[in-house]
């Protein structure tokens, strides 16, 4: 067995081994494996694909959706209505149960789809050396020790240790978070290097953007870095949202209270009042029907659905309904940097010459932007040395940049795209410059020599060389530096200081140089560029922050939400971008290597105190999210890469980028941003807070109705009176009028100041002490008015059906007036907009009036519900009593505001 296939082979530091040591360890050579050896290894280690996750069957997944206390209550209510032969209501209740189950069943498959999306990242074909001959094989047939050949456009088919490279750049953003393609090399790197620094490796699922290479397979399938992420994703458990946790707790409390109260009532009636057991059983059933809020789950679901539609209009697509409400309780947002907080478009921000340090305006590939020195504008046409630097960057360049439908599209390396934009800002036209100074030869960039050089001729026959590359490499190739008037001897110390200063601002640095060549020379040799060049200057580049992201970060902080940046970039870059965004304020940056050394307690402290994290791995992102959650925080995480998927799934709200995000990230997340705009997150949080407010309003509206009904029945039995409302009439109120009115609250607009208050405590019960008081107060008002008017009618000689009809209409009228109170939980209603600003409230009130007129006067409904017609005088009494709830609740608000929060 090759030594690489020991159980811990995926942990071996292949990037740190010399090439010969890698080949010896794998029992391989650069001519490739024999077919027989490859067959044996494939049989021993299996195909190069990710192991499918074990899944529950569809039936088990569907049945699991019913394991919820509120569902049990609804099923119990359906059984009660069926026992009463009220089949319409039975059908409505069971319909709600089935719809909820279907929604949960459909949504539960997202984790499996995320794993499938990861599997789809693997390359279908691979160029391989077998039996010392090149052949193309299905990537599934690769085994450790195979020699793989890479070329531009290839998807890397397995984890490779690179044996030879020529100008190889690999796009690793989806795996490491690097914002630009990574230049690769064959030299070993340090064993403890972060994933993004393992330049001697090419990882499965990444994309070759330029160059060619040969590498040996060191890991396949589950042992690759992609495989490790897939395993992490499979192990991550999705947390329940705060709303689901609270509703489950509330449902258990409510169900226990209903059972106990019904039992006590049955015992009291039979033992104390000597009612027949059969009558008391019906009374207990009536109490249970009255107390169960049958319509509440439907109202919550519809309120969440309304929030989903509102968010979709703001480019925030919700994949899981409860995530809408969870957004309202988010306390921390972990945001990926590249493409989320930044534009993912490299931009030259500074140009350093011997004469000045120029700041460059504008961002991205849009060529609008000027130059300044110490905040004073500078015209590039009046600064020849600046134009020389820009021209060198434009001509020593293999990229192209063009405007397509108003957007600038880049073909090639982002760094070279930034240099083309710099040239345009300096007034240079790429096509004209290439025509006047055509290229005749080039030395492409390779990681071994770390520079690119091009040979040009002008139309007068002069030949010259332009070179760009790593500053330390270019400085070693230069003997002089450009200055207007006459060049001078190179001052290396000056340039090193300038390079350090630019790097401290988080900018990537390139040096540009110039040299002459013999007029008749048309081929460029290494010897001609390695010495004697003249340094033109340095350029500093960065991936600029989105302007709207800066504003959104400020808005989130004002709303009491901590925004933290997490990136695969280096610490200096992360700190600089964080400062521009208002994240971290230039404080501590924690690197992934340091995270490994922290204890669980230290990690929990760092996850809260540190705002910028650099050079992190997928495991680090996951551990940071878990550490925050251990501290009681509600964490959201944004991301677009494969490396983000485990943390996206674990986060309370995973937020994936819709345009630049991988399918893996989208499937693992609860929310997808259609415009990749961080600003949409703030809008989604605002909507999430509104949704939670509206759910509380719905609960605050519905529960007093149930409380009033239950107390009315309880009072009647305790006083030995007839039931003011029958069980069938209770179902009418609960499922027709209460739900119709309660649904209108789902459309309540956002209240003022919603983003100026801190996130709600996720541990706070959905029914606070204040809400319990309000529910109790309104329940007492409802039972006093409803039962009182019922008794008054009976004392006046009214028949039992007439008195019950009055009681039902009184209860519904109470609901209509109380609905207006509920539009503002704390604030008094001061204007007509406060009363009638939600047109859906008016629609609901009109619908309920129509329902009650049918309930009272339609012969068919009179027969079904035992009602009789009532006259205008009776309606006047009903409305006079019902309006008291509006007056008393507004008075309670006024007293509470006068007393203050305490």
């Amino acid at each position: 067995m090759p030594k690489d296939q020991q159980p811990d082979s995926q942990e071996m530091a292949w990037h740190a081994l010399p090439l010969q040591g890698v080949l010896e360890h794998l029992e391989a050579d650069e001519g490739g494996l024999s077919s027989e050896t490859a067959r044996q290894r494939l049989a021993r280690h299996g195909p190069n694909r990710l192991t499918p996750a074990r899944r529950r069957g569809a039936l088990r997944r569907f049945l699991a959706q019913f394991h919820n206390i509120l569902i049990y209550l609804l099923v119990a209510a359906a059984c009660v209505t069926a026992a009463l032969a009220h089949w319409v209501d039975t059908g409505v209740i069971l319909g709600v149960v089935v719809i909820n189950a279907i929604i949960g069943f459909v949504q539960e498959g997202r984790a499996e789809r995320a794993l499938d999306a990861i599997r789809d990242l693997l390359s279908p074909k691979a160029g391989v050396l077998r039996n010392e001959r090149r052949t193309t094989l299905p990537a599934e047939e690769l085994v450790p020790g195979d020699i793989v050949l890479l070329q531009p456009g290839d998807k890397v088919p397995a984890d490779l240790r690179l044996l030879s490279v020529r100008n190889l750049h690999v796009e690793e953003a989806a795996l490491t978070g690097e914002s630009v393609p990574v230049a690769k090399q064959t030299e070993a790197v340090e064993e403890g290097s972060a994933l993004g620094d393992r330049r001697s490796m090419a990882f499965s699922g990444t994309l070759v953007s330029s160059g060619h290479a040969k590498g040996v397979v060191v890991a396949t399938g589950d042992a690759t870095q992609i495989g490790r992420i897939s395993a992490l994703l499979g192990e991550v458990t999705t947390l329940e949202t705060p709303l689901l946790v609270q509703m489950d707790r509330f449902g258990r409390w409510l169900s226990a209270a209903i059972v106990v109260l019904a039992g006590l009532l049955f015992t009291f009636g039979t033992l104390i009042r000597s009612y027949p057991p059969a009558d008391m059983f019906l009374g207990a059933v009536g109490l249970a029907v009255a107390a169960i809020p049958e319509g509440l789950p439907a109202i919550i679901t519809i309120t969440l659905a309304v929030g989903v539609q509102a968010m979709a209009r703001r480019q925030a697509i919700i994949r899981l309904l409860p995530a809408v409400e969870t957004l309202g309780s988010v306390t921390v947002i972990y945001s990926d940097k590249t493409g989320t907080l930044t534009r993912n478009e490299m931009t030259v921000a500074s140009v350093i010459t011997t004469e000045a340090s120029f700041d460059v305006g504008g961002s991205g590939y849009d060529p609008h932007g000027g130059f300044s020195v110490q905040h004073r504008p500078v015209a590039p046409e009046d600064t020849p040395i600046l134009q020389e630097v820009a021209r060198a960057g434009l001509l020593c360049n293999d990229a192209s940049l063009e405007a397509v439908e108003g957007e600038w599209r880049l073909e090639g390396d982002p760094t070279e795209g930034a240099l083309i934009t710099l040239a345009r800002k300096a007034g240079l036209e790429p096509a004209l410059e290439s025509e006047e100074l055509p290229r005749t030869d080039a030395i492409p960039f390779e990681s071994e020599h770390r520079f690119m050089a091009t040979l040009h001729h002008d139309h007068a026959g002069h030949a010259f060389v332009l070179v760009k590359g790593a500053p330390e490499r270019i400085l070693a190739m230069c003997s002089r530096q450009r200055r207007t008037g006459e060049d001078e001897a190179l001052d290396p110390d000056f340039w090193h200081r300038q390079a350090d200063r630019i790097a401290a601002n988080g900018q990537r640095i390139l040096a540009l140089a110039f040299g002459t060549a013999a007029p008749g020379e048309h081929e460029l040799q290494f010897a001609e560029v390695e010495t004697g060049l003249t340094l033109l200057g340095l350029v500093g580049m960065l991936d600029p922050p989105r302007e709207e992201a800066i504003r959104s970060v400020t808005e989130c902080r004002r709303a009491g939400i901590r925004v933290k940046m997490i990136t695969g970039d280096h610490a200096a870059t992360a700190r600089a971008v964080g400062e521009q965004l208002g994240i971290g304020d230039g404080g501590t940056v924690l690197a992934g290597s340091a995270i490994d050394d922290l204890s669980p307690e230290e990690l929990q402290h760092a996850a809260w105190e540190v705002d910028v994290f650099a050079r992190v791995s997928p495991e680090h992102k996951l551990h940071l999210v878990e550490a925050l959650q251990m501290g009681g925080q509600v964490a959201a995480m944004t991301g677009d890469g494969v490396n983000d998927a485990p943390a996206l799934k674990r986060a309370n709200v995973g937020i994936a980028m819709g345009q630049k995000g991988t399918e893996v990230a989208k499937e693992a997340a609860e929310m997808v941003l259609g415009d990749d705009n961080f600003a949409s997150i703030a809008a989604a949080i605002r909507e999430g807070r509104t949704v939670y407010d509206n759910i509380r309003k719905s609960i605050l509206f519905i529960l007093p109705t149930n409380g009033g009904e239950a107390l009315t029945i309880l009072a009647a039995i305790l006083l030995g009176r007839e039931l003011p409302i029958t069980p069938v009439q209770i179902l009418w109120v609960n499922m027709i009028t209460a739900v119709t009115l309660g649904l209108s609250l789902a459309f309540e607009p956002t209240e003022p100041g919603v983003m100026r208050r801190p996130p709600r405590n996720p541990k706070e019960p959905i029914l606070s002490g204040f809400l319990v008081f309000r529910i109790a107060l309104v329940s007492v008002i409802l039972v006093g008015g409803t039962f009182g008017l019922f008794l008054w009618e009976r004392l006046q000689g009214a028949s039992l059906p007439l008195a019950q009809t009055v009681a039902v209409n009184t209860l519904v009228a109470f609901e209509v007036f109380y609905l207006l109170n509920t539009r503002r939980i704390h604030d008094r209603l001061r204007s007509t907009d406060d009363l009638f600003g939600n047109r859906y409230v008016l629609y609901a009130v009109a619908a309920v009036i129509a329902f009650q007129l049918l309930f009272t006067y339609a012969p068919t409904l009179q027969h079904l519900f035992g009602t009789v017609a009532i006259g205008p005088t009776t309606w006047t009494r009903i409305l006079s009593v019902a309006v008291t709830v509006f007056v008393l609740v507004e008075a309670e608000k006024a007293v509470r505001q006068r007393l203050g929060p305490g």
Side-chain angles (χ1 to χ4, degrees):
M1 177 189 291
K3 290 175 280 186
D4 68 298
Q5 293 304 305
Q6 298 301 321
D8 62 345
S9 62
Q10 63 265 42
E11 301 298 334
M12 181 164 291
W14 298 108
H15 54 280
L17 294 178
L19 296 181
Q20 193 56 39
V22 172
L23 293 172
E24 290 176 0
H25 205 91
L26 294 168
E27 298 178 10
D29 61 60
E30 294 197 38
L33 300 176
S34 67
S35 297
E36 178 60 22
T37 300
R39 186 187 63 78
Q40 293 174 357
R41 294 189 183 185
L42 185 62
R44 186 184 308 135
H45 308 299
N48 176 32
R49 60 172 177 247
L50 303 183
T51 304
R54 295 174 62 183
R55 303 181 183 180
R56 291 184 298 172
L59 180 60
R60 288 185 62 192
R61 282 177 51 212
F62 183 71
L63 292 177
Q65 307 307 317
F66 296 91
H67 183 56
N68 179 289
I69 190 66
L70 280 179
I71 298 299
Y72 296 155
L73 283 174
L74 286 176
V75 171
C79 292
V80 170
T81 56
L84 295 168
H86 207 284
W87 305 115
V88 174
D89 291 304
T90 301
V92 170
I93 296 171
L94 291 179
V96 170
V97 171
V98 172
I99 290 171
N100 282 338
I102 291 173
I103 291 172
F105 176 76
V106 171
Q107 293 294 347
E108 193 179 292
R110 64 194 180 88
E112 287 86 348
R113 292 196 296 273
L115 293 173
D116 289 340
I118 284 184
R119 294 184 193 103
D120 292 341
L121 286 174
L122 301 184
S123 176
K125 298 287 185 181
V128 186
L129 291 179
R130 288 273 177 92
N131 305 309
E132 299 187 348
R133 296 179 61 185
R134 176 166 183 159
T135 184
T136 299
L137 297 174
E140 286 191 354
E141 297 181 13
L142 289 181
V143 296
D146 262 326
I147 304 299
V148 174
L149 305 174
L150 298 176
Q151 61 187 23
D154 282 353
K155 189 176 285 186
V156 180
D159 283 2
L160 309 178
R161 174 65 165 87
L162 297 172
L163 303 176
S164 65
V165 299
R166 180 171 178 80
N167 193 30
L168 181 68
H169 287 72
V170 179
E171 172 58 65
E172 295 183 338
L175 185 64
T176 67
E178 283 279 4
S179 55
V180 296
V182 178
K184 295 295 184 177
Q185 64 188 47
T186 58
E187 292 82 4
V189 297
E190 291 185 10
E191 184 172 341
S193 300
L195 195 65
D197 292 328
R198 298 177 187 177
R199 303 300 174 104
S200 57
M201 298 287 295
F203 297 109
S204 178
T206 60
L207 186 68
V208 177
S209 60
S210 64
H212 297 76
K214 180 166 66 173
V216 59
V217 175
V218 297
T220 60
D222 294 335
T224 62
Q225 290 296 327
I226 286 284
R228 294 181 66 189
I229 293 174
S230 177
L232 274 177
L233 194 57
E235 294 167 3
V236 170
T237 57
T238 305
L239 297 181
E240 283 193 307
T241 70
L243 179 64
L244 292 181
V245 172
Q246 291 168 351
M247 289 306 298
D248 183 66
R249 189 181 301 125
F250 168 70
R252 292 177 188 277
W253 171 85
L254 183 61
S255 61
I258 290 171
V259 170
V260 170
L261 191 58
L264 290 175
L265 185 65
F266 179 82
T267 303
F268 175 84
T270 54
L271 297 182
I272 306 300
R273 290 292 185 187
S274 300
Y275 283 114
D279 291 348
M280 280 313 306
F281 178 76
L282 289 176
V285 167
L287 178 68
V289 171
I292 295 174
E294 293 95 337
L296 185 57
I299 288 177
I300 291 176
T301 300
I302 293 171
T303 303
L304 293 172
V306 170
V308 166
Q309 294 175 339
M311 289 183 182
R313 291 192 290 270
R314 297 298 302 268
Q315 297 296 313
I317 299 108
I318 299 296
R319 302 183 61 253
L320 187 63
L321 272 183
V324 178
E325 175 273 333
T326 310
L327 278 164
S329 57
V330 163
T331 59
V332 177
I333 300 174
Y334 267 133
S335 177
D336 189 46
K337 177 183 75 69
T338 304
T340 306
L341 291 168
T342 63
R343 298 170 59 93
N344 199 18
E345 297 176 352
M346 293 302 290
T347 303
V348 175
S350 56
V351 177
I352 311 298
T353 69
T354 55
E355 299 174 4
S357 175
F358 299 91
D359 294 320
V360 186
S363 63
Y365 301 132
D366 187 333
H368 294 89
F371 299 85
S372 62
V373 176
Q374 295 181 345
H375 306 292
R376 293 193 303 274
V378 173
E381 59 271 19
D382 297 333
T383 315
I385 194 169
L386 176 61
Q387 287 201 312
E388 279 197 78
V389 172
R391 183 176 289 108
L394 174 64
L395 296 177
C396 187
N397 198 309
D398 287 328
S400 64
L401 195 63
E402 60 178 339
V404 179
E405 297 180 355
E407 290 189 8
W408 288 90
R409 303 284 178 83
L410 171 68
E411 291 292 334
D413 185 86
T415 298
E416 294 191 322
L419 292 174
I420 297 174
T421 303
L422 174 71
R424 287 184 178 275
K425 290 176 181 177
L428 305 179
E429 177 55 46
L432 182 60
E433 294 295 328
S434 296
E435 183 180 331
E436 292 185 355
L437 302 168
R439 181 199 293 190
T440 53
D441 197 17
I443 298 175
F445 181 91
E446 291 189 9
S447 54
E448 287 85 352
H449 51 69
R450 302 168 66 202
F451 69 83
M452 173 183 178
T454 54
L455 177 64
H456 299 261
H457 289 77
D458 62 17
H459 297 293
H462 303 105
F464 57 91
V465 177
L466 297 175
V467 184
K468 76 171 189 292
E472 58 274 19
R473 182 71 175 97
I474 301 300
L475 282 171
M477 298 161 63
C478 293
S479 57
R480 301 186 67 76
Q481 61 192 33
R482 177 70 88 208
R483 182 175 290 277
T484 302
E486 184 178 357
D487 294 343
E488 60 188 22
L490 184 72
D491 182 359
D493 291 339
F494 168 79
W495 295 108
H496 284 304
R497 288 194 304 273
Q498 295 300 322
D500 290 343
R501 181 177 64 83
I502 299 174
N505 292 328
Q507 298 178 22
R508 299 172 183 265
I509 309 169
L510 275 181
L512 295 129
F514 167 87
T516 57
E521 189 164 354
H522 292 279
E523 291 187 3
L524 195 57
Q525 305 297 326
F526 274 91
E528 296 175 89
V529 298
E530 288 186 318
T531 59
L533 299 180
T534 299
L535 185 66
L536 297 174
L538 306 177
V539 294
M541 304 180 187
L542 50 77
D543 182 9
R546 295 174 179 264
E547 291 297 325
E548 61 272 26
I550 297 174
R551 294 191 296 270
S552 297
V553 168
T554 301
E555 183 177 14
C556 287
R557 292 177 68 173
R558 193 164 52 235
I561 301 168
R562 290 281 291 271
V563 181
K564 298 173 182 287
M565 186 173 72
I566 189 165
T567 176
D569 264 331
H570 291 281
T573 303
R575 179 184 288 108
V577 174
E579 285 187 29
Q580 296 174 56
L581 287 160
I583 300 174
D585 299 322
T588 303
V589 176
L590 191 63
S593 56
I595 293 176
D596 292 327
D597 299 329
L598 299 178
S599 67
E601 294 75 18
E602 291 171 331
L603 180 60
Q604 189 171 321
H605 177 78
W608 176 251
E609 294 297 332
V610 178
D611 288 336
V612 179
F613 299 86
R615 285 329 239 182
V616 292
S617 69
E619 292 93 334
H620 294 145
K621 295 183 177 185
L622 179 59
H623 295 332
L624 286 168
V625 168
E626 290 174 333
L628 274 179
Q629 292 169 338
M630 289 282 290
Q633 303 300 321
V634 178
M637 174 163 174
T638 72
D640 54 9
V642 180
N643 59 327
D644 296 321
L648 286 174
K649 182 182 175 186
R650 174 66 184 187
N652 300 89
V653 182
I655 305 170
M657 301 299 110
Q659 294 180 357
K660 297 180 181 178
T662 61
E663 289 304 311
V664 183
K666 295 174 190 175
E667 293 294 345
E670 284 83 11
M671 184 172 89
V672 178
L673 296 183
D675 56 1
D676 286 11
N677 193 335
F678 187 86
S680 297
I681 298 175
I685 288 174
R686 185 186 306 110
E687 190 61 38
R689 293 185 174 190
T690 300
V691 165
Y692 185 72
D693 283 350
N694 292 347
I695 288 174
R696 290 178 77 215
K697 290 174 183 178
S698 298
I699 292 172
L700 190 60
F701 170 74
I702 283 192
L703 291 188
T705 300
N706 294 102
E709 294 168 351
L711 289 176
T712 299
I713 292 174
L714 185 63
I717 293 175
L718 291 178
L719 296 174
R721 307 290 303 195
E722 308 101 326
L723 291 181
I725 307 177
T726 67
V728 175
Q729 291 169 346
I730 287 171
L731 281 170
W732 167 271
V733 174
N734 286 355
M735 295 302 297
I736 303 299
T737 62
V739 170
T740 302
L741 294 171
L743 274 179
S744 67
L745 295 172
F747 301 91
E748 280 294 305
T750 302
E751 292 193 6
V754 72
M755 289 298 281
R756 291 194 295 272
R757 66 191 191 207
R760 67 182 179 85
N761 184 349
K763 295 181 180 179
E764 174 187 288
I766 199 163
L767 289 182
S768 63
F770 157 70
L771 291 185
V772 170
F773 170 80
R774 174 71 63 77
I775 290 168
L777 171 66
V778 176
S779 298
V780 169
I781 296 171
L782 265 60
V783 71
T786 302
F787 193 49
L789 204 51
F790 169 81
L791 292 177
W792 192 90
E793 292 290 342
R794 291 293 281 160
L795 290 173
Q796 301 306 307
S799 66
L800 179 60
L802 177 61
Q804 288 175 333
T805 303
V806 170
V808 172
N809 280 298
T810 303
L811 184 60
V812 173
F814 269 131
E815 288 179 350
V816 170
F817 285 110
Y818 179 56
L819 178 69
L820 301 178
N821 292 121
T822 313
R823 291 202 61 222
R824 295 287 183 269
I825 295 178
H826 299 283
D827 297 333
R828 284 180 291 168
L829 305 176
R830 301 176 183 274
S831 66
T832 54
D833 185 66
D834 287 344
L835 278 171
F836 310 116
N838 179 355
R839 69 178 185 275
Y840 295 99
V841 167
L842 302 181
Y843 298 158
V845 169
V848 164
I849 291 172
F851 285 144
Q852 285 309 114
L853 291 176
L854 290 172
F855 175 83
T856 306
Y857 297 108
T860 302
L861 294 184
Q862 286 179 336
H863 175 73
L864 287 174
F865 293 101
T867 58
V868 295
I870 57 178
T873 305
T874 304
W875 280 113
T876 302
R877 284 196 298 271
I878 290 172
L879 295 176
S880 299
V881 170
V883 76
T884 59
V885 71
F886 179 83
V887 175
L888 292 173
V889 171
E890 289 302 301
E892 179 255 338
K893 291 181 184 179
V895 171
R896 189 175 293 274
Q897 287 180 337
R898 192 172 296 116
L899 294 176

